[in-house]
Amino acid sequence: MALCMFLMGFYFYRSKGKAADYLTGYNIRSEDQRKKVNEDLLCQCYGKRMMVMALPFLLGMVLDFFKPGLGNGLAWIVWFILFILLLIKRAKLEK
């Protein structure tokens, strides 16, 4: 999961706004609504956040060596919190 999140984040970060079409709901917006949003900034923000969202899984993997099962559960909880924060940030960026 960590590798998947990191690679997706890296793609978004380096896409120069072209990955915005893959964001949920963004591709169905009208051209006028899309012009109001800085796609490059949006993709960079998403890319950074996705790469950071890979860290809980790496730390969870290390924790699982010492306490099996605990690291995985904590990683998903932290990931979910980071995901909610990402959605809040997106809502602010798109206004």
Side-chain angles (χ1 to χ4, degrees), residues 64-79:
D64 269 346
F65 284 119
F66 302 107
K67 301 254 182 185
L70 181 65
N72 185 29
L74 287 176
W76 278 107
I77 290 169
V78 171
W79 182 87

Side-chain angles (χ1 to χ4, degrees), residues 53-70:
M53 290 168 81
L55 293 177
F57 293 105
L58 292 175
L59 297 175
M61 180 182 69
V62 171
L63 186 59
D64 269 346
F65 284 119
F66 302 107
K67 301 254 182 185
L70 181 65

Side-chain angles (χ1 to χ4, degrees), residues 16 20 39 42 45 58 71-72 75 80 94-95:
K16 297 180 182 170
E39 293 178 349
L42 186 66
C45 176
L58 292 175
N72 185 29
F80 187 71
E94 290 183 2
K95 284 186 178 182

Side-chain angles (χ1 to χ4, degrees), residues 23 29 37-38 41-50 53 81-95:
L23 297 175
R29 290 179 170 210
V37 178
N38 183 348
L41 179 65
L42 186 66
C43 286
Q44 283 183 353
C45 176
Y46 258 80
K48 287 179 191 176
R49 292 275 179 138
M50 284 185 205
M53 290 168 81
I81 291 169
L82 290 172
F83 181 70
I84 296 298
L85 293 174
L86 175 66
L87 293 178
I88 292 169
K89 176 85 172 186
R90 179 180 175 182
K92 288 179 183 177
L93 279 175
E94 290 183 2
K95 284 186 178 182

